[in-house]
Amino acid sequence: MTYNTSALDGFAALGDPTRRAIFERVAARPSAVGELALGLPVSRPAVSQHLRVLKQAGLVRESPQGTRRIYRLDPRGIGAMRDWLEAHWTTALDAFKDFADAQADEETAA
Amino acid sequence: MTYNTSALDGFAALGDPTRRAIFERVAARPSAVGELALGLPVSRPAVSQHLRVLKQAGLVRESPQGTRRIYRLDPRGIGAMRDWLEAHWTTALDAFKDFADAQADEETAA
DNA sequence: CCTTACGGTAAGCCATGACTTACAATACGA
DNA sequence: TCGTATTGTAAGTCATGGCTTACCGTAAGG
């Protein structure tokens, strides 16, 4: 099973609560792996593995700085998700409006 | 571990490819469970279980119609995700801009 | 009524993945 | 050059969850 596996994997990446926490901390301030691990209830390797997933989803970028790797947001991944949601947002509203209208008609008829 | 478990569970819901396929089909046209299962490589109970998750995430709504249940989009869930992404979108752009500027300065200095 | 259609639920199987500890690699500082 | 700091990776464990088949409830229609 493959479906559309493109950049929409951002949803799977942000689906994990720990990963979402990491993402939000990186969003607040670019950080190294160790710093992130300090504020989280998981080990440093776990954070490292999560960052790899986030990176593959295009959600974060790393830039080496000495022996440390600074992680910052990458607009590409979040942009793709944003576009996808925005497209469905309008259709969702339209569909809901049609449904509400139909309900109203039903009420009137009854 | 709990983190923020509110309506952001939409990410976890849409993280699964099968669920995303179901969501897109419901977005294209409100459908019954059986119809959805016909066009997918999984059994009808599987679709039913996925719909439950999507419903709990506020992404779809069901409305009984005879023995059938018509599923349509629910704007609430997708709206929450949209807001969350939109907020981080701007910070992502800002952070990226700062980073790009710093890189440019570094280039100039070198 | 009795039958048929439709869909939710239970139980169980199995792959995925999140996490841990242990280890290897790399860059900096004394 | 040697020790230290920082991080990625390997291997293994364990829980989560996605899928299936079997079953039960319920609403229409003869």
Side-chain angles (χ1 to χ4, degrees), chain A residues 67-105:
Chain A
T67 76
R68 316 204 309 167
R69 321 267 179 107
I70 306 300
Y71 283 86
R72 39 174 51 82
L73 286 197
D74 185 341
R76 293 180 303 131
I78 195 176
M81 298 175 68
R82 181 174 165 274
D83 293 344
W84 190 89
L85 268 187
E86 203 63 29
H88 286 349
W89 169 250
T90 56
T91 66
L93 280 189
D94 290 348
F96 187 74
K97 182 176 174 302
D98 292 347
F99 176 60
D101 290 349
Q103 290 290 85
D105 291 350

Side-chain angles (χ1 to χ4, degrees), chain A residues 36-60:
Chain A
L36 294 169
L38 283 181
L40 292 168
V42 296
S43 69
R44 183 194 53 73
V47 174
S48 199
Q49 291 161 9
H50 281 307
L51 284 170
R52 173 167 46 184
V53 175
L54 290 172
K55 193 170 86 173
Q56 285 174 345
L59 289 166
V60 301

Side-chain angles (χ1 to χ4, degrees), chain B residues 4-87:
Chain B
N4 181 358
T5 183
S6 64
L8 278 309
D9 290 325
F11 286 110
L14 291 181
D16 181 78
T18 302
R19 224 133 51 201
R20 202 155 54 221
I22 293 177
F23 178 82
E24 293 187 325
R25 282 160 196 264
V26 170
R29 164 172 30 88
S31 316
V33 180
E35 307 174 36
L36 294 169
L38 283 181
L40 292 168
V42 295
S43 69
R44 181 193 54 73
V47 174
S48 199
Q49 292 162 8
H50 282 306
L51 284 170
R52 172 166 49 182
V53 175
L54 289 172
K55 192 169 89 174
Q56 284 174 345
L59 289 166
V60 302
R61 275 185 60 79
E62 78 179 310
S63 44
Q65 184 170 312
T67 75
R68 316 204 309 165
R69 319 266 179 108
I70 306 299
Y71 283 87
R72 38 176 50 82
L73 286 198
D74 185 341
R76 293 180 304 128
I78 195 174
M81 299 176 67
R82 179 172 167 276
D83 293 344
W84 190 89
L85 269 187
E86 203 64 30

